[in-house]
Amino acid sequence: MATTHHHKKPHSSTTYLFIFISISIILLTSLFLLSPNHQYNSNCDYSDGKWFYDPTLRSSSSRYDHTCKEIYKGWNCLNRSGAAEVLKWRWQPNHCALQMFDPLHFLESHRDVSIGFVGDSLNRNMFVSLFCSLRRVTDEVKKWRPVGADRGFTFLKYNLTVAYHRTNLLARYGRWSANDKGGELESLGYKEGYRVDVDIPDGTWAEAPSFHDILIYNTGHWWWAPSKFDPVKSPMLFFKKGQPLIPPISPEIGLDLVLRHMISYVEEKARPGTVLFFRTQSPRHFEGGDWNEGGSCKRLQPLSLHEVEKFFSVQNNGTNVETRVVNEHLFEAIKGTAFRLLDITRMSEFRADAHPSSAGGKKHDDCMHWCLPGITDTWNDLFVARLSSIKVR
C-alpha cells in the first residue's frame, strides 16, 4: 500500500531574516515605550478618571514625608484625623495610566532648566510638593530667589531651579482712597477700595517670563473674596493705561481683562521655546457655610460623583461654585494662545478629605489648601506627564 509522506518546506534564509527583524522591532519598541522618557500618552485626557483606594500605596512610596522643611505648618496634616488615609488613594485616568513621576530621572532630564510657579498660595502648595519630591533624592540644594520670587531653590548638581512667585490677581493692585480734589470715581460716590491695573503685571513676577524655561500660572481664589474685596466697603476698581474704567466693571469682567492682558504679556516676554502652563482652579470643600461662616471639611473619604455635582454645579450656586466659574473664564482666555491647560480641577473636586481642616491651627477650618504630602503630588505627576508628552513629540 502506498504511503504518502508530508514534508515541511524548509525556511529560506530570507524568512529567518524577516522573523529576526520583526522580533527586534517589537523588543526595541517595548523598551522605548517603557523607558521613563516615553511612559506618557500625549493624547490622554488625564482629568477623566476615578480615585481608587490602595492600602499599600503610601507604604510602597518614597516621595517625601512631613519632615520636609518647606512644608508650611498649616499644610502639615500629621496629627489630623484620617491623615494617613489621604495618601492611599490613587488617581486612575479612564483611558490611560498616570505614573508617579521619578524625581531622580526628572532632575537628570531637566539639567540647566528653571521652573517658575506664578500665582496664589495654591500654586505655592504645588511648588512645595515638587520641591520636597526632588529634595528627597539630593542634598545639594541652595536657596536662591530669582528676581521677584517669594522663594526658590537650585539643585546644584543639576543646575535645576524651582521658584515660586506670589501674586494674588496676576495684575498689580493696591489700596485706593478718594482724592480730595475729586475725580471720576469720586463723582460716583467711591471713597475707598482696591485699584487693579488690568494691563500691568504684579512686580513679583514681571521678570519671570524672561527668566524661566517652564512656567505654571494660576489665579482665581482672590477674585471672589468678599472678606478682602468687599463690594461695598472695599470694591475692586479697575484701571487701564492709568485711568479708571468708567462705568466701573464687575470682578468677572475684570478677570477677563486681566487674563487677556497678562497672557499677552507673557507671550511677548517669554523666550523662544518656553513651555507655558495655566493651571485650572483648585476646588474648595466648605460645608455648612464659607470659611468665615463656620464652614468645615470633616470628611474622611472622597466624594461620590453625585456629591461632587452638588458641591460644584454652577446651577446650585453653592459655597464652592467659583471653581467652575473661574475655569469658564480661563478656558476662553487661553484659546489660540501658547498656553497649555494643566487641568487638575476634576480630580481634585472629589477630594474633600484631603484638606488640612482644623489641623492648620487657624481659627477656622482650612478647606482650601491641601495636606502635604497629598493631592498636589498628583498634580505634579500630571505636570510631569504633560511636560514629557510635549518634549517627546
Side-chain angles (χ1 to χ4, degrees), residues 130-188:
L130 181 62
F131 168 77
C132 290
S133 297
L134 300 177
R135 177 69 177 78
R136 186 68 180 263
V137 298
T138 178
D139 293 329
E140 299 178 27
V141 182
K142 180 182 179 181
K143 284 187 177 182
W144 185 69
R145 294 190 298 172
V147 60
D150 181 72
R151 55 216 316 109
F153 299 89
T154 297
F155 295 87
L156 298 175
K157 182 178 178 181
Y158 307 93
N159 192 32
L160 168 66
T161 296
V162 182
Y164 164 62
H165 299 256
R166 179 175 178 81
T167 175
N168 296 327
L169 304 179
L170 294 183
R172 185 180 74 182
Y173 78 97
R175 292 290 309 186
W176 177 89
S177 297
N179 191 318
D180 292 337
K181 297 180 181 180
E184 291 182 286
L185 289 173
E186 288 85 348
S187 67
L188 295 173

Side-chain angles (χ1 to χ4, degrees), residues 83-374:
E85 294 298 294
V86 169
L87 305 175
K88 295 180 180 179
W89 291 88
R90 174 175 54 85
W91 178 253
Q92 177 58 59
N94 287 332
H95 304 293
C96 55
L98 178 61
Q99 306 290 337
M100 186 175 79
F101 86 93
D102 180 341
L104 180 57
H105 177 263
F106 186 85
L107 287 164
E108 291 175 340
S109 60
H110 290 81
R111 292 177 182 271
D112 306 316
V113 169
S114 183
I115 302 172
F117 290 84
V118 179
D120 56 36
S121 56
L122 273 302
N123 248 15
R124 180 183 173 185
N125 221 164
M126 185 178 177
F127 155 80
V128 173
S129 165
L130 181 62
F131 168 77
C132 290
S133 297
L134 300 177
R135 177 69 177 78
R136 186 68 180 263
V137 298
T138 178
D139 293 329
E140 299 178 27
V141 182
K142 180 182 179 181
K143 284 187 177 182
W144 185 69
R145 294 190 298 172
V147 60
D150 181 72
R151 55 216 316 109
F153 299 89
T154 297
F155 295 87
L156 298 175
K157 182 178 178 181
Y158 307 93
N159 192 32
L160 168 66
T161 296
V162 182
Y164 164 62
H165 299 256
R166 179 175 178 81
T167 175
N168 296 327
L169 304 179
L170 294 183
R172 185 180 74 182
Y173 78 97
R175 292 290 309 186
W176 177 89
S177 297
N179 191 318
D180 292 337
K181 297 180 181 180
E184 291 182 286
L185 289 173
E186 288 85 348
S187 67
L188 295 173
Y190 289 97
K191 297 180 179 179
E192 60 180 340
Y194 282 88
R195 169 174 172 163
V196 182
D197 287 278
V198 300
D199 53 346
I200 301 177
D202 197 340
T204 58
W205 70 270
E207 300 299 322
S210 60
F211 179 83
H212 295 295
D213 304 292
I214 302 167
L215 285 158
I216 306 98
Y217 283 84
N218 97 292
T219 192
H221 290 285
W222 285 70
W223 288 87
W224 278 265
S227 60
K228 179 72 172 179
F229 305 114
D230 187 286
V232 177
K233 297 179 181 179
S234 54
M236 301 173 83
L237 303 170
F238 296 95
F239 284 65
K240 182 178 179 180
K241 295 182 179 180
Q243 299 299 317
L245 293 174
I246 303 296
I249 60 176
S250 67
E252 289 89 343
I253 298 175
L255 174 58
D256 288 334
L257 289 176
V258 167
L259 287 173
R260 187 186 313 155
H261 282 286
M262 296 305 105
I263 287 173
S264 295
Y265 175 86
V266 173
E267 290 183 312
E268 179 184 342
K269 296 293 183 180
R271 295 176 296 179
T274 301
V275 179
L276 303 173
F277 287 107
F278 218 114
R279 179 178 60 72
T280 59
Q281 188 75 345
S282 173
R284 310 183 308 153
H285 288 92
F286 287 98
E287 294 186 75
D290 214 328
W291 68 270
N292 57 344
E293 301 169 337
S296 63
C297 44
K298 305 298 185 185
R299 294 178 183 253
L300 300 179
Q301 290 188 340
L303 300 175
S304 67
L305 183 60
H306 172 74
E307 289 171 324
V308 164
E309 290 309 308
K310 183 179 178 181
F311 261 76
F312 300 107
S313 172
V314 175
Q315 287 72 27
N316 287 342
N317 196 29
T319 302
N320 309 287
V321 72
E322 90 284 346
T323 300
R324 296 185 182 181
V325 173
V326 169
N327 279 352
E328 289 175 359
H329 291 265
L330 177 58
F331 296 157
E332 188 64 30
I334 70 166
K335 285 181 180 177
T337 74
F339 276 83
R340 296 173 169 89
L341 273 178
L342 193 64
D343 191 353
I344 57 84
T345 300
R346 185 62 173 173
M347 67 169 64
S348 306
E349 285 181 338
F350 291 91
R351 297 308 303 275
D353 60 311
H355 297 284
S357 186
S358 58
K362 297 181 179 181
K363 294 180 180 179
H364 58 83
D365 273 16
D366 185 351
C367 306
M368 174 183 290
H369 301 98
W370 304 95
C371 293
L372 289 176

Side-chain angles (χ1 to χ4, degrees), residues 55-94:
T56 67
L57 188 60
R58 183 57 186 169
S59 60
S60 62
S61 167
S62 59
R63 196 188 293 256
Y64 64 93
D65 60 29
H66 67 279
T67 61
C68 180
K69 293 182 179 180
E70 261 306 286
I71 298 178
Y72 173 66
K73 65 178 181 179
W75 305 340
N76 190 331
C77 299
L78 178 65
N79 298 318
R80 203 209 75 173
S81 174
E85 294 298 294
V86 169
L87 305 175
K88 295 180 180 179
W89 291 88
R90 174 175 54 85
W91 178 253
Q92 177 58 59
N94 287 332

Side-chain angles (χ1 to χ4, degrees), residues 33-53:
L33 292 174
L34 291 173
S35 67
N37 281 329
H38 301 90
Q39 60 184 326
Y40 302 108
N41 183 345
S42 60
N43 297 316
C44 178
D45 181 2
Y46 292 105
S47 66
D48 179 21
K50 298 179 179 65
W51 288 97
F52 289 92
Y53 183 76

